[in-house]
Amino acid sequence: MRPVYLDNNATTRVDPAVVAEMLPFFTEQFGNASSMHAFGAQVGGALKTARRRLQDLLGAEFDHEIVYTSGGTESDNMAILSALETQGARNEVITSTVEHPAVLALCDWLERHRGVTVHRIPVDAKGRLDVEAYRKALGPKTAIVSIMWANNETGTVFPVERLAEMAHEAGALFHTDAVQAVGKLPIDLKSTEIDMLSLSGHKLHGPKGIGALYVRKGVRLRPMIRGGHQERGRRAGTENAPAIIGLGKAAELARLHMADEQTRVKALRDRLEQGLLQRIGNSFVTGDVENRLPNTANVAFEFIEGEAILLLLNRAGIAASSGSACTSGSLEPSHVLRAMKVPYTAAHGAIRFSFSRENGDADVDRVLDAMPAIIADLRSLSPFWKDKRPGAATDAAFNPTYA
Ligand SMILES: *Cc1c(COP(=O)(O)O)cnc(C)c1O
């Protein structure tokens, strides 16, 4: 049975054209870009091409605004740590309650061990940022705001352009974790006030372990890693040439496929979502359906455990993801759904289906065929399910969209 991969927000398959572009840089063209001979020059040229391709995808005005890193996590850390060094007496950070751990865990640590004040702006039941709370948190002590462009679990898109303008009115820097947005949404940084932006290769059919931080011209960056003069001294160490070249190719492909993402991939997502809601009662979509990534569906099935659903889906050859981060063995539902106050009875049974350009109609059919029986079986075993009417356990404050 052909596997169905619907976990593209966790990672994507490296595009074969990306692999092909990378391979010569492991073999014949292995030079160090800094070397003064032909081996170095070959690599140097390819690195330039890669940088331009990434610049084009982001709408960055200058090529030196891109600093390569080991991925989204490093870029997020670099942006926030740098701002706390360069912003003088300002020592407060503003973020949201639904960020990726790459931001949230750093902020927790800064608060606990570095005396930094962190404001975590809440979201509403649809995952939308409380812009009034954000406005109130901004002030003369704000060093940096870090708010994601799009949420990895629900796909909810934040109005980062406006949020960046508000940050500047308060004299603060604005960083966005755009790991999920790059390649899925059109981005034109030169027409925004965004100061820094994080992206990651493996979320857009590029290699793992490579990413970038966009740093607007004129914004000071304090390096985390010091050494050689690579990346203009902002991130020392010999360039990971094959990975950078792969990321460049992935960026070029993402730009070419953007329209497909917005239309065909989105239609697949919508057909899956509507099909699930029609076939399965007591299910609803989480997140802001009007303002969402085209590839992401997060559907909550009440009164059952997401982990059990994933296990049975996996047995049917389908890969998806649950909202719950039960890394520590605790069965706490995801911090994102908790921040949205999705009732526990539903948050536990939330499943994220995330598409890519490699998915097709057959994938949607497979899930629609498998899911109704999986949910019915699990509910028949659930002590919470008995005698439930639609929406029975859903508290009044939370108002989901049922089919
Ligand atoms: C995956 C992801 C990251 C981490 O990126 P890595 O390259 O894996 O370090 C950060 N933020 C978001 C929103 C992500 O989805």
Side-chain angles (χ1 to χ4, degrees), residues 40 43 54 72 116 118-119 137 142 145 160 198 248-249 263 283 298 307 314 322 339 356 373 375 381 383 387:
V43 180
L54 199 51
V116 172
V118 178
H119 301 270
T142 314
V145 176
V160 286
S198 301
K249 186 66 182 173
T263 54
S283 63
N298 191 307
E307 281 69 29
N314 183 51
S322 84
S356 81
I375 302 298
L381 301 170
D387 308 320

Side-chain angles (χ1 to χ4, degrees), residues 239-258:
E239 296 88 350
N240 185 353
I244 291 171
I245 288 157
L247 172 58
K249 186 66 182 173
E252 180 189 54
L253 294 173
R255 205 158 67 87
L256 296 174
H257 288 285
M258 184 84 69

Side-chain angles (χ1 to χ4, degrees), residues 9-11 70-76 99-103 148 150-153 177-181 198-203 208-211 352:
N9 285 10
T11 197
S70 65
T73 302
E74 184 184 328
S75 298
D76 288 346
E99 297 297 312
H100 189 274
V103 169
M148 64 200 333
N151 184 266
N152 45 303
E153 290 189 27
D177 175 342
V179 170
Q180 291 296 341
S198 301
L199 64 91
S200 172
H202 74 100
K203 303 289 174 85
K208 293 171 178 59
I210 186 75
R352 177 186 72 188

Side-chain angles (χ1 to χ4, degrees), residues 201-232:
H202 74 100
K203 303 289 174 85
L204 58 141
H205 302 281
K208 293 171 178 59
I210 186 75
L213 180 67
Y214 161 88
V215 185
R216 180 177 297 277
K217 184 184 175 191
V219 172
R220 283 169 63 209
L221 187 74
R222 181 71 61 95
M224 288 199 304
I225 298 176
R226 293 181 176 82
H229 58 264
Q230 294 91 354
E231 302 298 309
R232 295 173 170 234

Side-chain angles (χ1 to χ4, degrees), residues 24-42:
F25 295 91
F26 289 105
T27 53
E28 294 84 30
Q29 305 187 43
F30 60 84
N32 185 323
S34 306
S35 301
M36 299 301 287
H37 47 60
F39 290 89
Q42 283 174 330

